[in-house]
Amino acid sequence: CGVVLHHIFGLFAYGKKKQITEQIKNSNKEFKIGLIRAFFDDEGSINSSSHTMRLFQDNKSILKGIKHLLSDFNIRTNPIRFYIRKNKKRHYFNITGFREYDTFNRIIGCTSSKKKEQFELLINKVQNSKYFRNKYKNYLRRVTPILGQ
């Protein structure tokens, strides 16, 4: 199976070396969605109380690849930053803003029930905020029929 996967997607995982290959970047949207969703389920967090959506990874190049894949869906991300934990550099980037939360949730989503609950809380919290309602009223008019609200 590994040989077949490497043939299709390039040498994306070889020992400890993992990467987002050109074959993955050029794959179809359904595959990219599944890959990003799985990555977020494993390496992401969302916290509605602090309006934080974050993806983590020790390997900065993998995060760069995920950022590239997210841009294919017009999801903007913040710059990659890092912190030190237990003498190890840990990279991350945040996704901020109602449009990004909503687009990520509708297109990518997640399988974790806790993360789904946090997404709903976050989107509702931001959507009901007067500041964001005014800022995103044109966006809300376009997506409300899609969302069925």
Side-chain angles (χ1 to χ4, degrees), residues 40-69:
F40 180 67
D41 283 344
D42 291 343
E43 303 290 337
S45 68
I46 186 162
N47 187 322
S48 63
S49 62
S50 63
H51 293 193
T52 306
M53 183 178 170
R54 184 172 283 180
L55 288 96
F56 303 88
Q57 181 55 236
D58 293 342
N59 184 334
K60 187 176 180 179
S61 69
I62 289 179
L63 275 185
K64 286 180 181 179
I66 295 294
K67 283 175 67 81
H68 175 83
L69 295 177

Side-chain angles (χ1 to χ4, degrees), residues 11-94:
L11 217 57
F12 63 93
Y14 189 74
K16 290 186 176 189
K17 184 175 177 7
K18 302 193 177 34
Q19 62 182 335
I20 304 295
T21 62
E22 287 303 312
Q23 293 92 330
I24 291 172
K25 290 176 184 176
N26 295 324
S27 65
N28 66 46
K29 289 203 180 238
E30 290 78 22
F31 178 81
K32 292 177 189 178
I33 289 169
L35 179 72
I36 297 167
R37 183 181 299 135
F39 187 84
F40 180 67
D41 283 344
D42 291 343
E43 303 290 337
S45 68
I46 186 162
N47 187 322
S48 63
S49 62
S50 63
H51 293 193
T52 306
M53 183 178 170
R54 184 172 283 180
L55 288 96
F56 303 88
Q57 181 55 236
D58 293 342
N59 184 334
K60 187 176 180 179
S61 69
I62 289 179
L63 275 185
K64 286 180 181 179
I66 295 294
K67 283 175 67 81
H68 175 83
L69 295 177
L70 286 167
S71 71
D72 290 348
F73 298 98
N74 295 317
I75 298 172
R76 293 181 302 238
T77 62
N78 294 342
I80 295 175
R81 304 198 185 284
F82 72 91
Y83 61 90
I84 306 293
R85 184 174 184 184
K86 297 181 182 178
N87 294 323
K88 188 173 186 180
K89 194 181 259 191
R90 183 88 167 138
H91 300 278
Y92 70 92
F93 65 81
N94 292 335

